[in-house]
Amino acid sequence: MRIIVCIKQVPESPAFEIEGGLVRIKREGVPSVVNPLDLHALEAGLSVSRKHGGDVFAVSMGPPPCEEALREALAMGVDTAILLSDRRCAGSDTLATSYVLSQAIREIGTFDLVICGAQTIDSDTGQVGPQLAEELGIPHIAYVERIQSLTDHLIIERVCDGFLETVAVSLPALITVSKGLNRPRRPSFGGIQDAFASKTVQVWDLTRIKADPRLVGDDGSATWVKHLDPPHARKKGEVATGSARELANLIYQKLIDQNIIEER
Amino acid sequence: MKTKTAKGDDNKAKAAACRGVWVFADHRNYFQDRVTLQILAKGRDLARDLETEVGVVVLGHKVSEFVMEYVAHGADIVYLVEDERLAKYNVDIYTTVVCQLVEQYRPEVFLVGATDFGREFAPRVAKRLTTGLSADCVALEIDPAEKILLQTSPSFEGSVLATIVNPTARPQMATVRPGTFKERKHDYHRKARLIKPRIDWEDGASRMEVLKVRKQPHRGVDLREAPIVICGGRGMGGKKGFGLLGRLGKLLGAEVGATRPPVSEGWTESDRLIGQTGKAIRPRLLITCGTSGAVQYTTGIQNAEYIIAINKDPDALIFQTADFGAVGDAHQVLHHLMMRLEKETHG
Amino acid sequence: MDSRFVISAYHNYMVNGSLLAGFRLGEVREDRFFFEAFPIEPEDGRPQPLVSANLFDPSGGLVLRLDKSRTAGSHGLSKLRRTKSGFFIRSSEGKAMLSVRTFAFKNCYCTHIAGILCDEEGRPVASGDGETFRTRVDIPLIQPPHGV
């Protein structure tokens, strides 16, 4: 069994600067972490391989500092870690990112299961998983909370819009995982030693994965960010006085205005 | 941004030929979940700016009632695919059907509600169509000069808003956060055109099967995920006050949180704590009652979209952060509010 | 080739698996089969099917003429019974021939047709079981403007 876990290194907390009236995301000097849901994805991969045998790959697309995230994955126990790093990937939207990841996975060879976190804390889109599955031509299922069985197909439980669904998917498949799936292990001391001593993070560029540069970065993206803005500054709003009933009626109207309740 | 070559001009021509604003009908939790109606309303504005019509895409089985509801709420055209194979939501088969519709009719905009299903289904559709998709949008407008969709999507858990454009790929796709737009009133006089497209069912059989579906029993929602939160502070006075908040919460479908003093006093559990040492929340609506507005609390509520505050003290700091403040006794105001809510739902 | 029809937010008839605001089967002629269902607007009060038709039996005999859901001259002893939600027609032997009923949803209505419609030569031109209503493909099914 071969399991591939896609992870992303993200800034620990958002940091912005305003330069000439424009908002820019600050990356330098901001501590980074493995995207929290990706830890659950790694844990899922490791526990599946422990139960069914096989190896676990961790793959990440990003600039060289992202190697740190992959070392953490090695310390948790994955067998192989691969960093996809190439300047030309800068500016990739999810279309381009899913293409790059798929090329890397094709380069790895056959696989049974791809696991991703349901979304990242920075871009929040939750799109890479489904788009990667589409690029690989495999089915996907999101928000997995429980893996019920894994034989020649996969049966999972997941929660979707207030419905608890049990779904069977043919393999190979891609799943995205929610917090509720498991509790990620902490890297063991031995694991950390291994991660820095004997195991290495392989670094692959676009040439190695035979990726067409026209399909990555700006060129490979269909969308561009026109500008960034801070959320609307919290201004002091109106303050009303009156009897309790009058105030309640005013609040009731606000609930209608804010689409919380329907106007009657 | 690199300039595109002849391929770019070719794409521009293809883009110009696409017409129509489409909305995907997510009807599984209708009548409670109204995101499709909200997007239809905004769709009408966008379609007017683009001088085109609003189409609603309905997949399912035995969905006549929803079709008529969508006509009443603004659809000009209904693209209906009704089949037993579509009775349960299935991202694989829904993607195949919707992509066939898009290839056949070529809309310029395609909007999907950012429900759980929408957020796993729209990306797959966008990828198969090789088009751009922005997630969980909180605003949509048509750029008056370029006549393209300006998509405002939050990043970093709402700390920054990105305005995104998709100049040439079509359709321009976005998932839309529920509650962003206001639905139009139900109009019984409206008419629409119904189109029942031919579907090639052999094109990609489904690789997944939904074996069992059941409605989740209501369990405590994590405050961080709750769309509506009611928070109580010292001014709620005790456990009884929090009981009142709980009853209001049931009426509004809201979760109840607390500041540090009620938690310390044992009026409610510690997992309800909101603030610097507790949870940071980002609901659509926060009603904060009897809370003074200390900074240890307000850092946790900065990302709430709309804040209503009730406090006896007209100088309370909380009014600096709230969008609407009511100076009064929280118990009494909430009591009247609950009576009004109960009257309107049962009257 | 997809099919296109006008549908209403308020009330539709169910024909060939499709909602239709109004429709007509056949051409309106004195001695020939036709079946015309008119759109219902919110001002018309609680929706009831509004049908004009020339109805024949399997032997080709004229059974009933309907003019906006009222009988306009009848033959034999077939009876038209009106109900709160529509009407039904029994043959002189008491056999159910046609039932046209409007069902209510929360905010809208849908009319279903059950029974067999025959033309002036006694051939079946349409039939329904109350859920589905199918028309013969060679009989023209149109949506007259009906001021819609």
Side-chain angles (χ1 to χ4, degrees):
Chain A
M1 169 139 299
R2 172 160 296 168
I3 297 148
I4 301 177
V5 183
C6 296
I7 68 174
K8 188 179 179 194
Q9 190 184 47
V10 297
E12 188 173 47
S13 56
F16 308 101
E17 11 189 58
I18 311 220
E19 216 181 309
L22 295 168
V23 179
R24 210 174 66 85
I25 296 176
K26 208 165 85 139
R27 292 203 197 275
E28 316 82 36
V30 175
S32 302
V33 291
V34 174
N35 177 49
L37 283 178
D38 296 351
L39 291 173
H40 293 271
L42 285 165
E43 175 60 37
L46 290 165
S47 75
V48 166
S49 83
R50 190 183 54 226
K51 196 165 169 195
H52 298 270
D55 54 2
V56 181
F57 281 62
V59 178
S60 187
M61 182 181 107
C66 295
E67 201 181 299
E68 221 179 286
L70 288 160
R71 288 220 176 272
E72 199 171 324
L74 286 170
M76 278 173 80
V78 309
D79 302 287
T80 313
I82 299 167
L83 174 66
L84 306 168
S85 185
D86 194 305
R87 284 188 176 286
R88 293 169 285 185
C89 290
S92 293
D93 68 4
T94 58
L95 270 187
T97 304
S98 53
Y99 168 70
V100 172
L101 289 171
S102 72
Q103 286 299 108
I105 293 175
R106 285 186 187 110
E107 184 64 23
I108 291 171
T110 56
F111 60 91
D112 299 279
L113 190 61
V114 180
I115 310 180
C116 306
Q119 64 192 71
T120 59
I121 60 174
D122 56 357
S123 41
D124 278 347
T125 64
Q127 290 171 192
V128 171
Q131 296 194 330
L132 175 56
E134 176 65 21
E135 181 71 56
L136 290 169
I138 61 178
H140 86 269
I141 195 87
Y143 326 116
V144 171
E145 295 240 339
R146 192 164 154 250
I147 295 178
Q148 229 181 61
S149 73
L150 179 56
T151 51
D152 59 345
H153 58 276
L154 172 67
I155 301 184
I156 57 92
E157 273 171 32
R158 63 97 172 254
V159 176
C160 186
D161 295 320
F163 290 93
L164 186 56
E165 296 178 351
T166 307
V167 185
V169 193
S170 64
L171 291 172
L174 182 146
I175 60 172
T176 82
V177 303
S178 298
K179 275 203 306 270
L181 175 63
N182 54 36
R183 197 180 265 142
R185 67 193 64 185
R186 294 198 171 292
S188 64
F189 186 64
I192 297 175
Q193 279 194 306
D194 275 346
F196 283 89
S198 45
K199 291 187 188 169
T200 52
V201 173
Q202 300 181 38
V203 182
W204 292 0
D205 64 3
L206 292 186
T207 319
R208 171 72 202 267
I209 61 174
K210 306 179 186 68
D212 180 347
R214 291 170 302 178
L215 299 179
V216 310
D218 275 331
D219 281 350
S221 299
T223 54
W224 289 281
V225 177
K226 212 169 158 160
H227 53 86
L228 296 173
D229 298 289
H232 304 297
R234 289 230 91 96
K235 286 196 305 246
K236 178 177 169 155
E238 50 174 310
V239 179
T241 50
S243 71
R245 176 173 310 196
E246 285 164 359
L247 293 173
N249 284 335
L250 288 172
I251 292 175
Y252 185 82
Q253 185 56 47
K254 294 297 178 198
L255 294 179
I256 293 175
D257 294 344
Q258 292 297 314
N259 307 334
I260 303 295
I261 54 181
E262 244 186 284
E263 190 145 18
R264 284 183 196 274
Chain B
M1 229 160 63
K2 304 208 172 100
T3 50
K4 309 264 178 167
T5 58
K7 183 169 195 261
D9 292 332
D10 192 38
N11 286 338
K12 265 206 154 81
K14 280 200 195 130
C18 292
R19 313 289 295 132
V21 173
W22 278 17
V23 176
F24 174 74
D26 192 328
H27 52 73
R28 188 155 64 159
N29 283 314
Y30 200 68
F31 287 74
Q32 204 188 11
D33 169 23
R34 308 181 75 82
V35 68
T36 307
L37 305 185
Q38 295 164 1
I39 305 175
L40 274 173
K42 185 63 182 181
R44 291 206 64 72
D45 293 338
L46 300 173
R48 184 199 56 222
D49 293 342
L50 290 169
E51 289 169 56
T52 185
E53 292 185 300
V54 178
V56 64
V57 177
V58 187
L59 272 53
H61 186 57
K62 295 200 192 299
V63 289
S64 292
E65 179 177 16
F66 306 133
V67 168
M68 291 193 263
E69 290 275 336
Y70 298 137
V71 175
H73 281 266
D76 296 309
I77 309 174
V78 177
Y79 297 89
L80 173 65
V81 184
E82 241 184 327
D83 193 283
E84 269 183 335
R85 283 170 270 218
L86 302 171
K88 291 195 205 121
Y89 276 18
N90 174 315
V91 68
D92 226 23
I93 204 171
Y94 271 54
T95 303
T96 300
V97 172
V98 166
C99 287
Q100 283 187 23
L101 295 181
V102 171
E103 313 251 79
Q104 206 181 347
Y105 295 96
R106 306 216 157 273
E108 58 195 302
V109 171
F110 184 26
L111 305 173
V112 179
T115 57
D116 292 338
F117 180 76
R119 296 189 66 170
E120 74 162 336
F121 157 74
R124 190 129 202 165
V125 170
K127 182 68 174 183
R128 190 169 299 181
L129 299 170
T130 316
T131 188
L133 169 71
S134 48
D136 206 30
C137 289
V138 294
L140 292 171
E141 296 300 333
I142 300 296
D143 182 302
E146 303 202 45
K147 295 290 185 196
I148 60 174
L149 189 64
L150 298 172
Q151 308 155 38
T152 305
S153 171
S155 282
F156 287 99
E157 302 178 302
S159 305
V160 70
L161 297 176
T163 299
I164 297 172
V165 292
N166 179 354
T168 52
R170 291 294 178 265
Q172 302 163 83
M173 286 187 65
T175 59
V176 179
R177 179 177 289 184
T180 298
F181 301 118
K182 191 175 169 115
E183 67 185 74
R184 294 159 73 97
K185 270 184 153 8
H186 192 110
D187 182 354
Y188 295 95
H189 288 93
R190 289 202 88 250
K191 308 285 184 289
R193 299 197 303 288
L194 175 72
I195 296 179
K196 294 180 71 176
R198 291 199 158 282
I199 297 299
D200 175 7
W201 295 100
E202 302 312 305
D203 167 31
S206 180
R207 295 161 295 190
M208 65 178 58
E209 196 190 332
V210 180
L211 302 174
K212 208 159 58 162
V213 182
R214 51 193 186 284
K215 202 96 184 76
Q216 240 193 326
H218 179 80
R219 30 160 227 221
V221 172
D222 189 323
L223 278 170
R224 286 169 292 207
E225 303 300 321
I228 310 173
V229 176
I230 303 170
C231 187
R234 188 180 284 285
M236 290 316 296
K239 280 197 176 136
K240 253 177 94 173
F242 272 79
L244 175 67
L245 296 182
R247 289 199 302 282
L248 177 62
K250 280 214 166 67
L251 278 175
L252 289 175
E255 289 302 307
V256 178
T259 57
R260 171 65 66 190
V263 170
S264 305
E265 302 284 343
W267 301 345
T268 187
E269 292 85 46
S270 58
D271 70 339
R272 302 280 106 194
L273 180 65
I274 296 171
Q276 223 163 39
T277 51
K279 298 191 163 113
I281 60 173
R282 52 183 184 113
R284 276 171 51 207
L285 171 74
L286 167 66
I287 306 178
T288 181
C289 316
T291 56
S292 60
V295 69
Q296 294 90 332
Y297 168 53
T298 54
T299 50
I301 62 172
Q302 280 304 316
N303 287 327
E305 277 182 46
Y306 194 83
I307 298 177
I308 297 174
I310 311 172
N311 196 299
K312 262 200 299 229
D313 175 8
D315 297 319
L317 264 178
I318 192 71
F319 292 128
Q320 300 293 326
T321 307
D323 296 285
F324 180 74
V327 181
D329 181 282
H331 286 85
Q332 290 179 24
V333 175
L334 292 176
H335 172 69
H336 284 285
L337 179 63
M338 276 178 47
M339 284 204 320
R340 179 91 191 265
L341 284 167
E342 271 158 359
K343 189 179 98 175
E344 299 289 346
T345 40
H346 295 124
Chain C
M1 186 56 180
D2 52 38
S3 57
R4 294 163 187 248
F5 289 112
V6 173
I7 54 174
S8 147
Y10 185 64
H11 166 275
N12 293 283
Y13 300 91
M14 178 65 81
V15 181
N16 292 335
S18 272
L19 295 173
L20 296 163
F23 70 96
R24 192 179 74 218
L25 269 177
E27 302 282 324
V28 183
R29 290 227 240 291
E30 203 186 309
D31 53 352
R32 306 271 202 97
F33 163 81
F34 80 95
F35 188 99
E36 184 161 3
F38 296 85
I40 313 289
E41 296 298 329
E43 292 74 34
D44 298 337
R46 196 204 178 284
Q48 286 224 334
L50 200 57
V51 174
S52 296
N54 285 345
L55 301 173
F56 296 83
D57 66 24
S59 59
L62 178 64
V63 166
L64 206 59
R65 277 190 225 276
L66 277 177
D67 182 18
K68 302 261 168 95
S69 297
R70 299 200 173 282
T71 51
S74 64
H75 291 248
L77 297 165
S78 58
K79 290 220 189 307
L80 174 85
R81 277 273 194 287
R82 303 177 68 86
T83 68
K84 231 173 22 187
S85 58
F87 62 85
F88 61 92
I89 297 170
R90 287 196 192 287
S91 70
S92 44
E93 290 94 44
K95 222 173 76 157
M97 284 179 60
L98 185 70
S99 150
V100 183
R101 286 183 58 199
T102 303
F103 295 88
F105 289 116
K106 186 173 180 224
N107 291 312
C108 50
Y109 301 86
C110 187
T111 294
H112 287 270
I113 304 167
I116 302 180
L117 297 175
C118 297
D119 67 9
E120 62 279 355
E121 283 165 48
R123 288 175 309 173
V125 296
S127 75
D129 60 3
E131 280 232 6
T132 53
F133 178 68
R134 304 232 152 247
T135 68
R136 237 173 62 199
V137 288
D138 58 319
I139 307 294
L141 171 71
I142 62 157
Q143 279 197 303
H146 281 156
V148 155

